[in-house]
Amino acid sequence: QVQLVESGGGLVQAGGSLRLSCAASGLTFSTYFMGWFRQAPGKEREFVAGVSGSGVSTYYADSVKGRFTISRDNAKNTVSLQTNSLKPEDTAVYYCAARTDYSGSYSQRGKYAYWGQGTQVTVSS
């Protein structure tokens, strides 16, 4: 049974930082492309960042480029998202997700087979 469990969310002031983590189990982790998505109230879930199975290739939404960094540790089956210079508009539930289908865009939600339950990030102004 595949499980993805996020942690690290919380309340932070604008300009602050949080490090989100996602622990994976029940899958051959290094074969999965991992992504982080977020969903704000009343909005669709959107792609934030992604990392290839090897960790060599990373991808970011324009809105977070230069502020967020995705990384993975295949020995520990974890993927992390370092969020810096947080803004109130970054407030959302953040989800990690896993896919083995490398066809199509990395930002396509439907390509991800497994999802975590999410962790809340709230940025106050």
Side-chain angles (χ1 to χ4, degrees):
Q1 181 181 356
V2 175
Q3 281 195 313
L4 302 177
V5 180
E6 301 96 334
S7 61
L11 173 64
V12 64
Q13 288 189 330
S17 300
L18 285 173
R19 186 172 180 85
L20 310 183
S21 294
C22 173
S25 60
L27 73 172
T28 306
F29 185 69
S30 62
T31 66
Y32 282 77
F33 183 100
M34 299 299 295
W36 282 96
F37 287 74
R38 67 186 181 186
Q39 188 167 18
K43 295 188 177 181
E44 288 194 356
R45 193 170 299 188
E46 64 176 0
F47 173 80
V48 174
V51 60
S52 62
S54 65
V56 170
S57 300
T58 57
Y59 307 87
Y60 297 93
D62 288 343
S63 59
V64 306
K65 204 170 291 183
R67 300 188 296 122
F68 291 10
T69 303
I70 189 170
S71 61
R72 66 189 296 158
D73 185 336
N74 285 344
K76 296 182 178 179
N77 284 11
T78 59
V79 59
S80 298
L81 186 69
Q82 178 66 42
T83 67
N84 297 328
S85 303
L86 283 162
K87 305 174 181 180
E89 51 263 43
D90 294 318
T91 295
V93 177
Y94 283 69
Y95 300 88
C96 72
R99 62 184 279 185
T100 53
D101 182 357
Y102 278 69
S103 66
S105 170
Y106 46 80
S107 63
Q108 286 181 266
R109 294 196 308 268
K111 293 290 187 177
Y112 289 80
Y114 303 106
W115 293 82
Q117 84 290 348
T119 186
Q120 176 72 47
V121 171
T122 303
V123 185
S124 63
S125 57

